[in-house]
Every structure is written in C-alpha cells, then in structure tokens.
C-alpha cells in the first residue's frame, strides 16, 4: 500500500495535484498524509493557499479525505486505521490532513520562527503537546506512571550514551571514500574531485 507523506508546503507544489489526480483517476490504493504543521519553511498556511482546508484539495480529485487533530495520537491512529481498512477493501485512495504545529525552526540553517510568528501564537499549541496529552490519558487509565517513565528515560539515556560512544569510536570517513561510494562508475568530474581529495588527504 503506497503511503505518501507531505507537509502543508508540499501541497502547494504542482506535483501534489498531479499525484492526487493520477491516484484518483486510477483509483490507486494510496494513502496521502498531509502533515499540516502551519508554515512550510516560513510561509503561514493562510498565505500558501486560499483553500479553506488542505483536505479539500483531495476532494477535488475525487478522493475522500478527512482532517484530524494531529496533536491527538489516538485520533490519528483511529483515522489512519479506518483509511487503511477502506483502501485494503479496494475503495481507492484516501487523504488525511493532520492539523499540527512545528514547535521549532524549520531547520537549523537560517530559519528563525520569530520572523513570522509570535510567542503568544505559539503558546496554545505547546499546551496541546501530543506526548503530554498521551501521557495524561495513559496515566488516567492506570497504564503509565512517573516511576515507569523515570525508569524508561534512564534506560534510554544509558543506551544513547552507549550509542554515542560507539559512534565516536568509528574512524572518521575520508571525503574521497565517500565520493567513491556515490556512483558505481564515477563521472569524469567526480574522478577529478576524488583525486583532488586524495591529494589533500595524503598530506
Ligand atoms: C521544488 C522545491 N522547491 C523548494 C524547495 C525548498 N524546500 C525544502 S523544504 C521546503 C518546505 C517544505 O514545507 P512542508 O511541505 O510544509 O514540509 P515541512 O516543513 O513540514 O517539513 C521547501 C520550500 C524544495 N526542496 N523543492
């Protein structure tokens, strides 16, 4: 079952429309998931499209779609399961738009969310943190406790430490070796690059 996950920004690309149109026309069993976290890189969702929802773009392609609270893990599970059952039964593609939020910057390279949103706008979303909500549900149902969480966190911290130690012990890769692995048959430009780096590395 093909699964296609994109962000809100991705749905502004022409390829998205073509993909949905194709899947709808051929009734391909594709699950489209649009993780609408609000800002592409830095463009607020309302400036990306005049469509009131992203889910309705699928409706235009003849694909049933649904919006779900993307900060509610159990709701996402329920909707994804229903979509899968629907597709496995041979009903064609489905789209799910998850309404969620990007807590941090788009990437560590040059994006600063302060340019396009305020602390006040962020706050209500932080209160919907899906991990905190799920913890509350599980704790209320007696399926999770602080002690279990502390134990799990300690276990993870120890395994991270171990993994970092292991990674630190792996000898540093040479740029020339990385380039040699890129293509089975290097292009002439790549061969020049490889020789350039081999010369540098042998100094
Ligand atoms: C065709 C194309 N144009 C522009 C970019 C630059 N780019 C990389 S990520 C991104 C934003 C993607 O936003 P979204 O689909 O909402 O994904 P998310 O931010 O949630 O990862 C852009 C514009 C690209 N990778 N490809």
């Amino acid at each position: 079952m093909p699964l296609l996950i994109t962000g809100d920004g991705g749905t502004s690309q022409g390829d998205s429309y073509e993909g949905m149109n194709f899947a709808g026309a051929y009734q391909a069993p594709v699950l489209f998931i649009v993780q609408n976290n609000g800002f592409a890189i830095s463009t607020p969702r309302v400036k990306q499209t005049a469509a009131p929802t992203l889910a309705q773009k699928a409706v235009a392609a003849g694909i049933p779609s649904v919006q779900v609270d993307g900060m509610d893990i159990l709701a996402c599970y329920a909707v994804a399961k229903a979509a899968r059952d629907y597709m496995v039964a041979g009903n064609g593609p489905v789209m799910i738009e998850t309404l969620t939020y990007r807590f941090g910057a788009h990437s560590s390279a040059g994006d600063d969310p302060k340019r396009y949103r305020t602390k006040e706008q962020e706050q209500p979303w932080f209160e919907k943190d899906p991990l905190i909500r799920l913890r509350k549900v599980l704790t209320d149902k007696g399926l999770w406790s602080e002690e279990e969480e502390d134990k799990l966190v300690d276990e993870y911290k120890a395994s991270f430490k171990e993994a970092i130690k292991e990674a630190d012990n792996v000898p540093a890769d040479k740029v020339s070796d990385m380039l040699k692995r890129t293509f089975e048959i290097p292009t002439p430009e790549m061969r020049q690059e490889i020789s350039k780096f081999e010369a540098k590395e042998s100094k």
Side-chain angles (χ1 to χ4, degrees):
M1 186 187 79
L3 173 66
L4 203 145
I5 304 181
T6 184
D8 45 288
T11 65
S12 305
Q13 285 277 133
D15 322 43
S16 281
Y17 294 91
E18 289 172 22
M20 284 187 281
N21 188 60
F22 190 89
Y26 286 89
Q27 287 294 287
V30 185
L31 174 56
F32 292 90
I33 296 186
V34 177
Q35 189 192 44
N36 176 1
N37 62 6
F39 299 93
I41 288 185
S42 57
T43 310
R45 153 64 186 85
V46 289
K47 290 192 178 168
Q48 291 180 52
T49 173
T53 72
L54 302 180
Q56 74 198 74
K57 296 186 176 190
V59 176
I63 300 175
S65 69
V66 62
Q67 278 189 314
V68 62
D69 178 354
M71 307 298 263
D72 181 340
I73 292 170
L74 297 176
C76 288
Y77 175 77
V79 163
K81 186 170 183 324
R84 184 183 183 281
D85 292 346
Y86 178 88
M87 281 188 304
V88 168
N91 293 304
V94 184
M95 188 220 262
I96 299 171
E97 177 187 358
T98 64
L99 297 166
T100 181
Y101 202 75
R102 165 152 59 67
F103 282 171
H106 179 266
S107 70
S108 51
D111 176 38
D112 176 8
K114 283 203 284 298
R115 286 187 300 123
Y116 50 86
R117 64 191 204 199
T118 63
K119 281 259 167 297
E120 291 68 37
Q121 287 168 329
E122 288 174 352
Q123 194 49 39
W125 286 97
F126 282 113
E127 284 161 18
K128 293 181 190 160
D129 187 319
L131 292 178
I132 295 171
R133 278 168 81 181
L134 186 65
R135 179 204 278 142
K136 186 163 167 18
V137 171
L138 293 176
T139 309
D140 288 352
K141 288 188 178 298
L143 297 168
W144 195 238
S145 65
E146 215 176 309
E147 298 76 62
E148 282 171 287
E149 183 159 325
D150 288 346
K151 190 165 159 274
L152 190 71
V153 169
D154 285 345
E155 278 169 24
Y156 279 143
K157 277 188 183 159
S159 68
F160 278 142
K161 240 191 209 160
E162 201 47 48
I164 289 170
K165 221 191 311 166
E166 234 173 79
D168 281 345
N169 285 334
V170 175
D173 204 9
K174 285 191 211 155
V175 177
S176 61
D177 285 339
M178 185 269 291
L179 292 174
K180 282 180 201 163
R181 290 193 302 267
T182 308
F183 292 123
E184 191 178 354
I185 303 168
T187 60
E189 292 81 9
M190 192 79 94
R191 270 203 299 274
Q192 276 180 10
E193 283 288 290
I194 291 170
S195 315
K196 200 172 86 189
F197 278 102
E198 277 176 339
K200 263 194 200 169
E201 288 156 3
S202 63
K203 276 182 196 159

